[in-house]
Amino acid sequence: MKFAPAAAVGLGLFLALSASTTFAQEAAVPFDMSGERGPTADKKPDEGESGTTTTTTTPTTTQVEQKPVVKPPARRYIVSAPSLMLEGEVASRSFPIYLTKDEAAGADALNLGYSNAVVVAPEASRLTVVVNDVPIGEMPVQSAEGTKDVQLKLPAGLLRPGVNRVTFNATHRHRTDCTIRSTYDLWTAIDPARTFLTLPDTPAGRLQTMDDIPAIGVGPTGQTKFILVLPEMGQPAATNALMRLSQGLAMMAKMPNQTFDVVNTMPATLGAGELAVVMGTAGDLTPILPRLPATAGSSAVATFVDAPAGDGKVLAVSGPDWPSIESAVEGIVSPIDRPLGIMREALSVRQRNAAEMPLVYGETTLTLAALGVRTGEFSGRRFRTGFDIGIPSDFYADAYGEATLLLDAAYAPDVLPGSHFDVYVNGNLASTVPFNSRNGGIFRHLPIRVTMRHLRPGPNRIDIEAILLTQADAVCAPGASALQEPRFALFDTSELRVPNFARIGQMPNLAALSGTAFPYNGQAEPAALYLDRLDSDTLSTGATFLGRLAVSGGRALQVRPESSALAIGDRNAILIGTLSQLPPLVLSQTHIAAESASTWGAPVTGDNQQAGTQEAIDQWQSRVRGGAWRSQVAAFQAWLQETFDISFSSLRLLPGEEQEVVPDDSAQFLIAQGDSPDHTATWTVLSAPTGASLKAGMAAMAQDARWQQLDGYASLDDKASDSLDTRPVSRARFVPTQPWSFSNMRLIAANWLSSNILSYALAFCGLSLLLGMATWGLLRRFGRQL
């Protein structure tokens, strides 16, 4: 590169001045004997950096004072489910959230994250958020391209200590379509991870007393986890206290998706919806909890203490020995436990739907207002609402019983014949009633008969749906889907009348186990609890299972750990372990194939592959040879079911034997139930091929949606499926639960004969024959000839 002479001179002067300036600045900085450079000169804070910088006049040092770092607001997630979809033209979901006194006073905003279907018309669709029956925000549904975040301010004093109710109401209308089919394409998805209350993060932590345990809340995916830290995990003396404590914590929190993780070391951090509980003797806990109360060395202690790391709290349950620890655990459980002999009036599932669920024991009349359904008008095409009721564990009316829904409603004159009411029980269509009038009408206690075959012990969902057809919808002029003129109204004076039904327990019955913890919830003697090993996986599985049973049954169950499955005898028992470690007697009593103990989860070898190939060949041969005959039988069976509502299982004289359960490789966990050897008690088995899959399978089974699917005598959790593989019961053992009465026995006989039609037909023919013979003998005695 070439420079002009003047430019070269200028450049030389500039470099010389720069070099002298740099040397002078470096000379002003002293050097120590080690040759390292001393403190640098003052530095201006970067733009946007928080804090205030103060510079002193000392030439060699600079002191910087910064404001303490302010923690971001804490989050209390609201949705106690992995996902939330508000579907249809009208939809509503409510969630409770428990707040401490400080949280209720400090919460200032609610953050909402949502998205919706592309076909939703934003100009006619609305999403409303209601807190404690006070609307705090209403917005158009217009987030079809992704999740939208909205922050809603909370009025002062709206939240209160204890339970608060948050409701999401959605009203959808289609952009262009007016058909009934189009209403199934309308939805709004609430993102649980982006829907929360903002709270001040207090240094002392949120939980201070036992009454604050429900404030543990849920995580961003709707999960609740108790981390039970047990330093001496392998001690048999700790098992009973651990299982009792897990039930007490589960009953206090009552979260729908709560699990327990038993570990022997303190977790480094705790996330939202998690609580650490440390249990052990004072000598075991002092090294990991420096602030453990000194009284733990001489008496039972159950209190919140500062966590060893961080600014949170952990629950410490301790004492000088294990008997004193059991006393501390009993002090936690006994105030919330329900004594034997006291019946529940409602199922405590508030954390699932923000309302108590009435428990129906027999003949009952309930208004929709009492069931949480309010009067409302509707201007769309498919109206849907519902309510929940509870059914006791000894419900036995699935073959003949009918309830009656007395409906108070009205519909506009433009609603055409062909419109109808549909009533669903647990997602199954139970009844349909058409509209017959062409000029509108008002129904006053319109009777709709609802079959009770789909009811099951525990929580049950009943939905009312109105399908409304109009001539305007057939034309579907532009803007017709957004019209607001009401065409239907449902009044909360409607009633549900449930008749008396048979009351007797049936075993095995996993539906009763999941619904009300039957038969373990009502026994005075402790049930036997067998754990094949005292490690983290097995103890976590047992704690999660018993915690779930305690919430379902409404009381903490009495259990007694047993070291040997063969020592259980003829008692109600719960057996937990990998399938290969369970005795053959246990497998045979719970209808599990003995060969599964060695084949379930085993790696595929040449012999196994050859056996599988041969089995596939045999199946294909059977299908080819008997395919035509099987198809004819299947068609005939389908015709019987559709025409007369009769299945082949009801055409039997005596119940058949249960088929053995052979878990395949896709199954990761199973729950099976059977009788004890003398058929007087019930054994329930929880098993998996490995300890890790045992813990993971129970955690998945404890989720509310999956737990409500338990049914039959065995249920298998498939890795690749969202539903359980349930095996229906063929031969049930009846367990008396009520004092003997003629009316109850008559109802039991009616349901049994309705389930066994062939036996009923033979009995009817036999009685007719006896009546004919008696009539012939009586007439002959009077001298009459037939």
Side-chain angles (χ1 to χ4, degrees), residues 599-612:
T599 59
W600 191 17
V604 179
T605 62
D607 295 339
N608 292 338
Q609 186 175 4
Q610 183 177 2

Side-chain angles (χ1 to χ4, degrees), residues 461-748:
R461 179 71 178 181
I462 299 178
D463 290 299
I464 304 171
E465 186 174 82
I467 303 298
L468 307 171
L469 305 174
T470 64
Q471 187 62 37
D473 290 340
V475 176
C476 199
S481 62
L483 296 178
Q484 299 297 320
E485 183 68 23
R487 60 176 65 172
F488 177 77
L490 178 68
F491 306 112
D492 58 11
T493 54
S494 304
E495 296 179 349
L496 174 68
R497 292 184 179 178
V498 181
N500 277 328
F501 49 81
R503 300 282 303 278
I504 191 168
Q506 304 169 76
M507 288 287 113
N509 190 350
L510 290 179
L513 178 77
S514 66
T516 60
F518 185 78
Y520 306 104
N521 61 336
Q523 63 181 46
E525 293 296 325
L529 175 65
Y530 170 73
L531 306 174
D532 71 339
R533 61 188 62 177
L534 300 181
D535 60 0
S536 175
D537 294 333
T538 309
L539 291 173
S540 299
T541 302
T544 301
F545 181 67
L546 288 177
R548 187 77 223 206
L549 288 185
V551 175
S552 299
R555 64 162 54 97
L557 310 181
Q558 295 287 345
V559 296
R560 179 179 299 162
E562 295 288 348
S563 58
S564 173
L566 301 178
I568 293 174
D570 296 312
R571 292 181 292 162
N572 286 338
I574 299 172
L575 303 101
I576 303 174
T578 56
L579 201 62
S580 60
Q581 298 297 320
L582 296 177
L585 175 63
V586 175
L587 301 183
S588 63
Q589 292 299 127
T590 53
H591 314 291
I592 301 175
E595 61 269 18
S596 299
S598 58
T599 59
W600 191 17
V604 179
T605 62
D607 295 339
N608 292 338
Q609 186 175 4
Q610 183 177 2
T613 302
Q614 184 61 39
E615 182 180 354
I617 293 175
D618 294 341
Q619 290 179 355
W620 273 100
Q621 288 179 349
S622 176
R623 291 174 61 184
V624 171
R625 292 173 182 174
W629 178 80
R630 289 171 183 261
S631 62
Q632 293 178 2
V633 173
F636 178 68
Q637 184 177 2
W639 177 79
L640 278 178
Q641 185 71 37
E642 294 177 1
T643 308
F644 301 103
D645 198 14
I646 296 175
S647 62
F648 275 10
S649 61
S650 61
L651 299 176
R652 61 189 180 187
L653 286 175
L654 295 175
E657 294 291 338
E658 312 293 359
Q659 296 293 325
E660 286 191 335
V661 178
V662 182
D664 54 22
D665 292 337
S666 63
Q668 66 172 347
F669 181 79
L670 72 83
I671 296 182
Q673 200 170 69
D675 291 339
S676 62
D678 71 342
H679 304 284
T680 59
T682 300
W683 289 3
T684 302
V685 167
L686 284 70
S687 189
T690 63
S693 58
L694 182 69
K695 177 181 176 180
M698 186 62 239
M701 191 72 73
Q703 307 307 299
D704 189 67
R706 188 66 59 90
W707 182 259
Q708 299 302 325
Q709 296 177 11
L710 280 175
D711 202 357
Y713 69 93
S715 293
L716 291 84
D717 185 15
D718 198 316
K719 301 175 185 177
S721 176
D722 292 334
S723 60
L724 297 180
D725 178 11
T726 59
R727 309 296 172 87
V729 177
S730 297
R731 175 175 293 182
R733 172 174 57 91
F734 290 109
V735 180
T737 58
Q738 304 296 316
W740 189 93
S741 67
F742 177 78
S743 60
N744 191 43
M745 292 301 298
R746 180 184 63 84
L747 295 173
I748 293 173

Side-chain angles (χ1 to χ4, degrees), residues 225-229 260-261 263 265 267 269-270 274-278:
K225 179 186 287 188
F226 293 93
I227 302 176
L228 301 178
V229 182
F260 290 82
D261 190 7
V263 297
T265 58
T269 59
L270 292 175
E274 295 182 353
L275 174 65
V277 183
V278 185

Side-chain angles (χ1 to χ4, degrees), residues 142-159:
Q142 52 181 5
S143 182
E145 297 181 356
T147 303
K148 181 178 182 180
D149 294 307
V150 180
Q151 187 176 73
L152 305 173
K153 293 298 182 181
L154 296 172
L158 177 61
L159 299 176

Side-chain angles (χ1 to χ4, degrees), residues 366-380:
L366 298 168
T367 64
L368 293 193
L371 294 168
V373 179
R374 300 180 180 179
T375 297
E377 296 181 337
F378 178 65
S379 60

Side-chain angles (χ1 to χ4, degrees), residues 297-365:
S298 58
S299 62
V301 170
T303 184
F304 282 94
V305 300
D306 293 332
D311 56 4
K313 296 280 188 177
V314 299
L315 176 61
V317 182
S318 184
D321 49 28
W322 281 106
S324 61
I325 295 176
E326 291 184 358
S327 175
V329 171
E330 198 60 31
I332 297 175
V333 178
S334 57
I336 60 173
D337 199 8
R338 178 170 59 93
L340 291 172
I342 298 180
M343 298 176 61
R344 291 185 290 176
E345 295 183 358
L347 294 181
S348 298
V349 289
R350 180 183 294 274
Q351 296 299 339
R352 185 163 65 115
N353 55 14
E356 296 290 346
M357 186 181 303
L359 194 54
V360 178
Y361 289 101
E363 186 174 2
T364 307
T365 299

